[in-house]
Amino acid sequence: MTVGETAAALRAEARETNERRLLVLVDETDGNENRDARGAGDGGDGTDRGLAAAIDALDGAGIDRAETTVVGHRDGIGCERLEPRETGDLLGTTRDAVVYDARDECRPNALGRVAGAVDGGGLLILVTPPLDAWSARRDRFDAGMAVPPFGVEDVSGRFRTRLVDTLRTHRGVGVVALDESGETVVDDGRTRPAPRLPSPGPSVPDDHAFPTAAYEACLTGDQVAAVRAFEALRDTGRAVVCEADRGRGKTSAAGLAAAGLAVEGRDVLVTAPSFRGVTELFARAAELCDALGVASERTETTRLVLAGGGSIRYAKPPEAVDVLDDCDVLLVDEAAALPVRLLERFLDADAVGFTTTVHGYEGAGRGFDVRFRDVLAGTDFDVTDVRLDEPIRYAAGDPVEVWAFHALLLDARPPVDPLVADADPAGCAYDALDGDALLADETLLREAFGLLVAAHYRTEPDDLARMLDAPNLDVRALRANGHVVAVALLAREGGLDAATREAMYTGERVKGNMLPDVLTSQLRDEHAAAPVGTRVVRIATHHAARSRGLGSALLDGVRDEFDGRDWLGVGYGATPALLRFWARNGFSTVHLSTTRNDASGEYSALMLDPLSADGRALAARHESWFADRIAGVLADSLHDLDPDIARAALAACDATPDPGLGENAWRVVAGSAYGSAMYSVDPEPVRRLAVCALVRDDAPPLLSDAAGVDIDGEAEAERRERLSVLKLLQCRPWDAVADELGYHSSGQAMRAFGDALRPLCDAWGGEAAAAERARHGGE
């Protein structure tokens, strides 16, 4: 058989079963030359055999170029072409065929995207170099993993070793070898399935509130059930969770529901990791409005306004939090791709619906289930659950979906709960999971990667390749009875030569060295990239064994193993709980980012745990600098930072700042505390004092037994710390501070503020403060 005949047979089988097929074209002669493919029917020496064979495959299968996308760095097929980094444009779209030329760059994220873009009855065509030699080649994706001080020769090829094995063993995968002598069909890929009887179409439910046309637009019974479930959002205090694998039509169902709600006059706010992912939602909503004869207008790309007053509009996740009061219903698409702390903020909506991918490129529903379901269950929302299992774009059991799930571990999960339910630090073994061990043990790989997927909202197929191949990354785990119960992904950073450090200092981006980069380029420490450190990129504990010290025990093992390095470090979206966790484990705050992370909506915290003299010197100077500058930063770019995050970040800083106040400054402070002086005539000394109170371990609680002030123990001390942050450091108006902290009036907040200064004057004010206190009748 020729390539064209093989492709024709595969597509015929795919169309007969409404499945997809994968055709691998192995260019045995490829040597990375960047050559154009020949035109159809042409030939000759020097042609690009891979793309020429892809043309033959498309022609043989009768696939129109207009319905085809080519992904890769070489041109010559005559249709839409995207580079691997651009394949996000394919999310939410369908093609009859996608050709991925992976010879110059085999990017796992791109594989996941292109596999999802092929429609039922279509072909995924993968052009590869020689399969036996592929793992030994180094391409553009490998170059991205060669972070200083490593070179591309230090990158391994384990991911592609595993990928090749899946291509050779999965059903529905045709393999054709191309060389100077012609084409050899290694495997025709045909599965020769039994005929399938057509399934009955969906029916409109007897009892429904949305228009009948909304249900008539559904393609499966599962979609009907999902749209029916979304009817609950017509009432406040209701939440809907819609789960599905990719290709089940959940976003379309949400679009039909959004139109049903908007037709009734409701304002529907839609949020998702990107607008591109919800274009289908807006398209289905607009189509339903047209079918109902309801005039609608796209006043802007991301807003649909209906004649009856309803609307559907999009906002990025962090921005959506700020406009919840302006909407009637919030729809969160691909919720599993968003961090739990951001999802929690969406619960301020009157009614909210979540759609989430259980397995797939967009996110891991397991993490959503484990980490967010408990939060949702603890609210007053009446929750409706619905799940879509029946595929829409292709049949159940589709070979390309099965292959992609395996090759990219899209369905990886942690061990089942009973296997680790009794795990505790004393019974766990600390284990170094090197790439060879992970490649050799599929169960171990799936457990370790699955735990990262379940615990982190941004674990992607690229991360699987990095785990297996990146020379700067290490994987460490705690195992209970052989099963992974906690896992950490670690990056070696720093140890850079003088020339690289100079380039970093003057603004050049140096890959794979996040902490040294920030400390050098942003905080202007030209020596920060000299010490060698280990950054904790991600750490995860099995949900069935949390709150038992397993994460801390894993960090202890990392600290012991890497004690020859200068520091441990971490950077993450800051929350009070996470700041306290890292502080308990010996990490100290050295920086808070001044911009919010686009995905998490949080400011990031950077922390260090020094292991050597050089590490201690690095940490000490950045702790000191952090304490020196934080008051100015909180008054400016961090003016909207949650005061509890500020408190926790300051408490986690190991600096010991000195108030450094002269006698006159102490008289102003003490006069504000004990008498009628106004701190506003010279607020800087009071701000410095507030930083000392929030950072220093020896600072007294901000309480006193002054007459007329209610003492409420630890809770009141914490409220006064928040008061110090909001008023002194973030410079918010007194009425806003009083309202946020629950004081009856601005005057009461002011009195509490003055009272909070008294313990600080007593502890650090010396004779000047004591004299001021005595003049105002203090003891």
Side-chain angles (χ1 to χ4, degrees), residues 528-542:
V532 180
T534 297
R535 178 169 65 92
V536 183
V537 180
R538 289 174 194 167
I539 186 169
T541 300
H542 197 290

Side-chain angles (χ1 to χ4, degrees), residues 232-238 328 350-351 381:
L233 301 181
R234 300 169 70 242
D235 300 320
T236 60
R238 301 297 299 272
D328 299 307
D350 291 335
F381 279 103

